[in-house]
């Protein structure tokens, strides 16, 4: 059985005090209010990871992710952070290939394949993001485009490694725009990706992978999205910055 997951991507938001306050609120609200077994993950900026980890260490409902890692193990890469540093700081997960990284930092499918490898080698669970631009959506070949992102960054992995990956489908035209994909659009892509993975690996592996939806997911639309048979939860940007909204989304399964 695949896991239901809600992951909050804070992006470049929250000072340390604000981030700790948000974390404490989530840690207090989740056990009281959430009546399901969803895996809850928060991804603060790198510089807050250790302090947030300290707030999370006496509980087991909320887990810690980083928003990125470098593709090399160590070396002369000023300003960069390695997967082993993240693991040593207490992160269990790392977001890889977010569309903002692909767009502003020119991350390619090939480089992301290396990041996935190094994350797995350091026992981090990659939350691998994929998704098409509005232009590609309108041209109509969006399923092929996103399938190719998976193929080029993930399909070199042996079965047991791919089975550790969480996939997040995030149509770029829906991120931070307030324009959510409809549940039909999300279901169509999620089912297509699962079928593609099944054809390259196996039905069993594809059935057990969690595929999250991301892009303007909020309390008012999460229930409908999460009710789709192939949508296993969400990667949440803007709405993860409010403990109330984030917890309401977790309650939407
Ligand atoms: P959004 O961002 O929820 O603010 O649209 C989602 C994401 O980028 O992960």
């Amino acid at each position: 059985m695949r896991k239901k997951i809600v992951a909050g991507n804070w992006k470049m938001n929250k000072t340390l005090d604000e981030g700790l306050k948000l974390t404490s609120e989530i840690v207090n609200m989740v056990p009281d209010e959430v009546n399901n077994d969803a895996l809850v993950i928060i991804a603060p900026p790198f510089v807050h990871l250790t302090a947030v980890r300290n707030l999370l260490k006496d509980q087991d409902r909320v887990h810690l992710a980083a928003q990125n890692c470098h593709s090399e193990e160590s070396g002369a890469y000023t300003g960069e952070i390695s997967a082993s540093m993240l693991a040593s700081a207490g992160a269990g997960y790392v977001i890889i290939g977010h569309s903002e990284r692909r767009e502003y930092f020119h991350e390619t499918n090939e480089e992301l394949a290396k990041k996935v490898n190094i994350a797995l080698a350091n026992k981090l669970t990659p939350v691998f993001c994929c998704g098409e631009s509005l232009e590609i959506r309108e041209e109509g070949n969006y399923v092929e485009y996103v399938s190719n992102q998976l193929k080029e960054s993930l399909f070199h992995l042996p079965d047991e490694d791919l089975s550790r990956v969480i996939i997040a489908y995030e149509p770029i035209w829906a991120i931070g725009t307030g324009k959510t994909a409809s549940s039909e659009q999300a279901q169509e892509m999620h089912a297509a990706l699962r079928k593609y993975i099944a054809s390259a690996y196996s039905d069993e592996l594809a059935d057990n992978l969690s595929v999250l939806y991301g892009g303007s997911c909020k309390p008012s639309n999460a229930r409908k999205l999460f009710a789709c048979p192939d949508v296993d939860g969400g990667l949440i940007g803007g709405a993860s910055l409010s403990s109330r909204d984030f917890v309401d989304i977790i309650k939407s399964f």
Side-chain angles (χ1 to χ4, degrees):
M1 261 291 280
R2 52 189 187 250
K3 285 193 205 102
K4 297 179 191 319
I5 302 172
V6 175
N9 173 11
W10 298 3
K11 308 190 180 182
M12 195 175 74
N13 292 293
K14 303 286 181 192
T15 62
L16 179 59
D17 287 350
E18 290 165 351
L20 293 178
K21 179 167 176 283
L22 176 58
T23 305
S24 302
E25 288 169 2
I26 294 167
V27 164
N28 290 329
M29 288 158 85
V30 166
D32 283 350
E33 296 187 30
V34 178
N35 243 334
N36 60 44
D37 57 0
L39 173 64
V40 179
I41 303 171
I42 55 175
F46 289 136
V47 72
H48 303 342
L49 285 173
T50 306
V52 170
R53 191 270 318 262
N54 289 339
L55 282 186
L56 298 182
K57 72 176 189 294
D58 296 326
Q59 54 85 58
D60 59 6
R61 276 310 309 267
V62 183
H63 299 260
L64 187 63
Q67 298 175 16
N68 179 34
C69 67
H70 196 269
S71 55
E72 299 294 330
E73 186 61 55
S74 63
Y77 301 100
T78 302
E80 291 295 319
I81 308 284
S82 71
S84 62
M85 292 173 194
L86 298 178
S88 71
Y93 300 79
V94 58
I95 299 172
I96 290 180
H98 190 279
S99 62
E100 288 150 17
R101 301 286 324 167
R102 293 174 187 262
E103 184 180 348
Y104 306 137
F105 301 94
H106 314 293
E107 295 188 359
T108 61
N109 291 343
E110 195 187 350
E111 184 184 0
L112 296 174
K114 289 195 201 154
K115 292 193 179 197
V116 167
N117 292 347
I118 204 129
L120 288 167
N122 284 281
K123 303 203 164 27
L124 296 169
T125 298
V127 179
F128 180 79
C129 301
C130 54
E132 81 288 358
S133 64
L134 185 58
E135 198 186 346
I136 290 164
R137 163 92 15 194
E138 286 172 347
E139 277 167 18
N141 54 348
Y142 47 91
V143 169
E144 293 76 8
Y145 180 86
V146 179
S147 299
N148 190 56
Q149 290 180 321
L150 298 192
K151 182 175 163 208
E152 292 191 355
S153 298
L154 297 178
F155 281 14
H156 62 284
L157 296 172
D159 291 45
E160 65 272 24
D161 282 349
L162 184 65
S163 67
R164 289 169 53 203
V165 175
I166 298 167
I167 292 174
Y169 167 58
E170 301 203 299
I172 299 170
W173 45 272
I175 295 179
T177 56
K179 194 174 164 193
T180 322
S182 66
S183 45
E184 291 77 18
Q185 287 170 319
Q187 171 58 25
E188 180 200 21
M189 180 65 86
H190 285 226
L193 296 180
R194 207 181 295 284
K195 202 166 148 207
Y196 186 56
I197 294 165
S199 69
Y201 287 83
S202 66
D203 286 343
E204 195 195 346
L205 194 154
D207 274 347
N208 285 320
L209 276 190
S210 295
V211 186
L212 314 184
Y213 167 80
S216 300
C217 185
K218 40 188 183 268
S220 59
N221 58 29
R223 195 171 293 272
K224 211 162 165 216
L225 286 159
F226 295 178
C228 298
D230 286 289
V231 176
D232 305 308
L235 178 56
I236 319 297
S240 75
L241 300 175
S242 147
S243 53
R244 180 72 274 153
D245 286 353
F246 188 59
V247 172
D248 283 346
I249 292 171
I250 306 165
K251 286 155 71 179
S252 301
F253 287 107

